[in-house]
Amino acid sequence: MEVAEIRVRGRVQGVGFRPTVWRLARELGLSGEVRNDAEGVLIRVAGGSDAIAELLDRIQLEPPPLARIERIERSHSTATCAPGFRIADSMGGAARTQIAPDAAICGDCEREIRDPGERRHRYGFANCTRCGPRFSIVRGIPYDRAATTMSPFALCDACGGEYRDPADRRFHAEAIACPRCGPRARLVPCLSPGDPIDQAAALLRRGAVVAVKGLGGYQLACDATNADAVSRLRQAKHRETKPFALMARDLDVIRRYCAVSPDEARLVTGPEAPIVLLRATGHALPTVIAPGLAMFGFMLPTTPLHMLLLRDIADPVVMTSGNLTDEPQIIDDREAIERFTGIADCVLTHDRAIAIRVDDSVVRIIGGVPRVLRRARGFAPAAMPLPPGFDAAPDLLAAGGELKATFCMVKDGAAILSQHIGDLEDARTFDDYRAGIAHYTALFDHAPTAIAADLHPEYLSSKYARETGLRLIEVQHHHAHVAACLAENGRPLTAPPVLGVVLDGLGWGDDGTIWGGEFLLADYREARRLGSFKPVAMPGGNAAVREPWRNLYAHLIAAGLQPHRPHALLDAMIRNGVNAPLASSCGRLFDAMAAALNVCAERQGHEGEAAARLEALICQRTLNDEDDAAAYSMTLSVRHGLARLDPQHLWQAVLGDLESGTAPGIMAARFHKALAIAVVTMTCALAAHARFETVALSGGCFQNAVLAEQTERRLREAGFAVLTHSLVPANDGGLALGQAAVAAARLIR
Ligand SMILES: [Zn+2]
Ligand SMILES: [Zn+2]
């Protein structure tokens, strides 16, 4: 007979952890108690030492689905335990525990809403300790019903019974609800007394645009096979070409349109239920859904409401964020009804408020590894432990970037990266960003001593950081990218420097010029630029970001080649350096190449569109079978101690291929290979002088699967260890984590 105290840390509250321990302890004949406290979960247990050991094993082997155990510590106790095992009352404070992300409806709740014998049959708000809303309904701490947007709904007797019964899977499910006592759906305008969800479904089938109140914000839906409806939605949203996300009632529907690997199926059906980018095969959908792309972004119904809405719809529906152009997704009911007038034919809403905006996440499998491209619902605000050596990190805030903005808090040695917020240039989005920081600060009881920000003088996030009055730590854009990659891979603080290869759009460099194709010898504290792509003018500045032809023009001039049609104004801009800043950007090289193939040459409707369409063009045969010698090539040279990749030969070959009428797909393949080969050439050349064995790949260009796969494979073949992103976006959505790691590393010193 032994008495032990077991301390469990991590995401262990509000996820059904105590009843799991209770069940296991009873099965093993142990006595004692389990309780929540400010540190997590505390178990005091008495019994045979074998049984206690088995309890520990089984807690780790069969934790409840939404739990994330960070650490379990066992110590000897001299306390005595009464016979039996009980769940004790919580001890106040939840500041050090984590708030779980929202989770898609679980199998048990799904069965209930489909079963006419269940009291939650066809109830749009069923949930339990294994599924349902969490982060999106939390207003404060500690996490209990009173601090959520469920507080106005008083439990009925039946729900109260389930809530108090440790054997029930709704034991202490804070969002517990049923048709008698919980939230209700409502259709605006109200058309008839029938079921609002069924009416909305009927409208969708007839070609209507329906606004739907989802888990973390409103969405706009329409029949994806109805080209008129999709076009109408695109026009109404003022959204030019950015692809629309799709929702299907089950995997079989998705498989009619896309290839779904077993790994992709697991992602689609997992509790995070993100939008997964899948290769389009089989049936076609209207091109207006994802213009110029060879992929669709699909998700499954994430809530009972979505499940019931799609129940009788055999086709996919568009399910896009409910916003106009670049504004934040709408979460307020009155605003939704006001602003969706003229866009949506009706609004399917309900009376459970959304506490914070959480958009749908986007994931793509690249090289067999899931890569989170937009980290929001299902992922945020999960804490990520910082790597070894960061235990002494002070609490701080990182302000992130400008596009795809996020922020990041460091607290108790862990990083809490916010959900995707959006592009801060939009005033409403910037308001949302500031409100988000305030919300997290209160929720996590956070008191930062310093703030990290990008070097860029004009980023609104950097301006915000300066205005806080906190100690400011400026972090170079591409250094932050590398540090984010190191941090998410758990690379220790004291590990030797890596070569960070950052292929990106635009970021402010150490030298006040614009960078974006960088080779940095970096650890968490410092980064030294060893090489880059050759800087080329961006005639028109921001206009060159929107209009790829400008980059083609500048690249041809820089390569000493003659553009197809001379342009006196651009010539003068480039020659005189007026409104034509130099940028060593890989993103702009992608734009130039796209323009050469007449892809989005005049204009791209959203960031990265030209590059994404170029990837979609690639001829797979050329990619896989053509000899490397046929790929384009970049020349490596060293000037003023800095290695440069010059695309002059690449452009000569491109013009030759254009002249001989080579197919665009072949040219796109040769271009992607050229970039990957150039990265390896540069890396090998730098390795001859600088000491590194590991290469960290980051930057928005690595959302491109072909570039990422080719580069990773070739670097590994050349003998390097390669670190890449998975949980954190390679794009600017990951900057805040990198800034946080750099700032923490500098403060620990
Ligand atoms: Zn459930
Ligand atoms: Zn009830």
Side-chain angles (χ1 to χ4, degrees), residues 119-120 154-160 162 176-182:
R119 62 193 197 90
R120 292 188 178 84
L155 291 188
C156 69
D157 288 347
C159 286
E162 292 167 341
I176 186 173
C178 77
R180 272 190 62 197
C181 67

Side-chain angles (χ1 to χ4, degrees), residues 637-687:
S637 63
V638 180
R639 276 183 69 182
H640 309 303
L642 195 62
R644 295 280 202 206
L645 284 171
D646 186 336
Q648 188 191 15
H649 288 150
L650 181 150
W651 289 115
Q652 283 166 350
V654 166
L655 292 190
D657 273 354
L658 282 175
E659 207 146 295
S660 63
T662 307
I666 294 175
M667 296 179 65
R670 290 175 178 172
F671 174 78
H672 280 76
K673 273 198 205 178
L675 287 181
I677 293 168
V679 167
V680 179
T681 306
M682 173 72 104
T683 303
C684 292
L686 295 175

Side-chain angles (χ1 to χ4, degrees), residues 439-503:
H439 186 77
Y440 272 67
T441 303
L443 216 52
F444 293 93
D445 194 14
H446 190 233
T449 54
I451 187 161
D454 194 277
L455 274 181
H456 200 299
E458 296 303 321
Y459 276 9
L460 288 168
S461 56
S462 303
K463 291 183 174 172
Y464 169 86
R466 285 197 291 273
E467 281 163 17
T468 59
L470 292 169
R471 177 174 175 186
L472 180 69
I473 298 169
E474 290 186 308
V475 183
Q476 197 276 324
H477 190 96
H478 305 95
H479 184 202
H481 271 302
V482 179
C485 185
L486 299 181
E488 83 150 294
N489 282 286
R491 190 164 172 95
L493 176 60
T494 52
V498 300
L499 184 72
V501 178
V502 188
L503 304 187

Side-chain angles (χ1 to χ4, degrees), residues 401-423:
E402 176 89 347
L403 300 177
K404 303 182 168 69
T406 57
F407 56 85
C408 183
M409 299 184 334
V410 170
K411 187 170 193 282
D412 304 328
I416 299 166
L417 182 62
S418 80
Q419 73 273 32
H420 163 89
I421 292 170
D423 298 348

